[in-house]
């Protein structure tokens, strides 16, 4: 089955710096890659997703890139702010019956001002 | 308001005492799923359902049961809870039957089994 590895597990940056979180997946048939943000004590919420027919997607200060050949995808946050502090999860799935959405173990991002 | 509602939010129970965590969504979503969240292990999928009466195992299904008799409800059943099932549980739903659209999560249920 699919396996998703996420690095780093913790990341500390100064306000205004950029942050990059990387994930690799094992099943080359995976074609949907969402990123979720979970603030302390709250539920995960989708911040951006990308499908396998697209190499990059941006939404204001966040972007996701996908390299299908290498089977990895990354989340990029520019001009970080204290409110970006949270746990970020990547995930991967196949659009086939009988498959699940597999999450990485998460990255705790701390943005200090 | 579009939402996924789980109950209860907190539950302390004893080993072996059957319990059910309810999950309901009002968005007419096809796909529903249950996750457990443990420190250092992230979100692990327990079971998912692509439609009424269609359920399938996720990564960690042992010790859990689910049912999908109605589109809006997807209860999680622990027939004989054990301490290793102490965890934070989330229910989620998505519009796409394959789960490849945004997942909306419930508020979470913190379960302690003693």
């Amino acid at each position: 089955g699919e396996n998703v590895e996420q690095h780093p597990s913790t990341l500390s940056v100064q306000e205004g710096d950029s942050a990059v979180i990387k994930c690799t997946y094992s099943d080359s048939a995976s074609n949907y890659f969402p990123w979720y943000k979970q603030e302390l004590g709250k539920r995960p919420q989708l911040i951006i997703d990308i499908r396998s027919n697209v190499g990059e997607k941006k939404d204001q200060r966040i972007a996701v890139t996908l390299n299908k050949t290498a089977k990895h995808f990354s989340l990029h946050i520019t001009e970080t702010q204290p409110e970006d502090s949270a746990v970020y999860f990547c995930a991967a799935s196949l659009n086939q019956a009988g498959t699940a959405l597999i999450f990485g173990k998460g990255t705790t991002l701390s943005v200090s001002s | 308001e579009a939402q996924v509602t789980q109950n209860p939010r907190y539950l302390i129970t004893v080993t072996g005492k059957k319990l059910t965590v309810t999950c309901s969504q009002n968005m007419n979503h096809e796909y529903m799923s249950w996750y457990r969240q443990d420190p250092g292990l992230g979100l692990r999928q327990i079971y998912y359902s692509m439609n009424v009466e269609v359920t399938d195992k996720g990564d960690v299904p042992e010790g859990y049961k689910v049912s999908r008799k109605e589109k809006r409800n997807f209860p999680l059943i622990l027939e004989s809870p054990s301490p290793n099932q102490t965890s934070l549980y989330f229910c989620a739903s998505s519009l796409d039957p394959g789960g490849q659209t945004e997942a909306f999560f419930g508020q979470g249920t913190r379960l302690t089994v003693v």
Side-chain angles (χ1 to χ4, degrees):
Chain A
E2 176 64 278
N3 182 52
V4 177
E5 300 278 344
Q6 183 171 349
H7 298 280
S9 57
T10 60
L11 180 59
S12 297
V13 300
Q14 291 287 322
E15 183 177 1
D17 287 350
S18 294
V20 181
I21 302 170
K22 298 180 179 181
C23 289
T24 59
Y25 59 99
S26 60
D27 195 328
S28 57
S30 287
N31 58 359
Y32 176 63
F33 308 92
W35 286 88
Y36 286 82
K37 175 184 180 182
Q38 186 179 28
E39 296 176 355
L40 190 63
K42 297 195 174 179
R43 71 193 81 184
Q45 291 189 294
L46 181 75
I47 54 172
I48 196 167
D49 57 11
I50 192 167
R51 300 181 191 276
S52 59
N53 58 348
V54 175
E56 183 175 3
K57 185 176 179 180
K58 288 184 179 179
D59 183 2
Q60 300 182 334
R61 295 187 298 108
I62 61 173
V64 57
T65 58
L66 172 65
N67 183 326
K68 287 188 293 183
T69 303
K71 291 189 284 186
H72 68 70
F73 56 113
S74 300
L75 178 71
H76 304 254
I77 306 174
T78 59
E79 299 172 21
T80 54
Q81 301 166 4
E83 50 265 39
D84 293 328
S85 296
V87 180
Y88 291 81
F89 294 98
C90 63
S93 84
L94 293 74
N95 188 18
Q96 296 174 9
T99 61
L101 181 64
I102 305 299
F103 282 84
K105 289 183 168 50
T107 296
T108 300
L109 173 64
S110 300
V111 181
S112 52
S113 55
Chain B
E1 181 189 353
Q3 58 186 1
V4 178
T5 303
Q6 292 177 231
N7 280 297
R9 293 288 311 278
Y10 302 92
L11 179 59
I12 301 175
T13 190
V14 296
T15 299
K17 185 177 182 182
K18 181 179 178 179
L19 66 91
T20 299
V21 184
T22 63
C23 174
S24 180
Q25 51 95 2
N26 63 359
M27 296 170 278
N28 202 36
H29 283 174
E30 301 287 341
Y31 186 93
M32 297 187 73
S33 58
W34 276 101
Y35 299 88
R36 61 177 289 172
Q37 184 173 20
D38 302 289
L41 297 179
L43 291 159
R44 293 181 293 167
Q45 196 166 39
I46 303 170
Y47 269 95
Y48 60 96
S49 169
M50 293 183 289
N51 210 333
V52 174
E53 302 292 1
V54 180
T55 63
D56 211 342
K57 297 177 181 179
D59 256 0
V60 287
E62 293 78 21
Y64 305 94
K65 285 175 57 178
V66 293
S67 69
R68 187 92 181 272
K69 293 184 171 56
E70 307 165 279
K71 196 172 189 179
R72 62 182 293 126
N73 296 323
F74 191 46
L76 179 70
I77 303 157
L78 284 71
E79 295 266 1
S80 183
S82 62
N84 64 11
Q85 292 179 298
T86 292
S87 187
L88 177 60
Y89 290 87
F90 285 101
C91 177
S93 72
S94 304
L95 179 63
D96 174 54
Q100 296 203 331
T101 51
E102 178 176 4
F104 292 85
F105 285 79
Q107 323 95 298
T109 296
R110 187 165 292 282
L111 172 66
T112 302
V113 183
V114 298

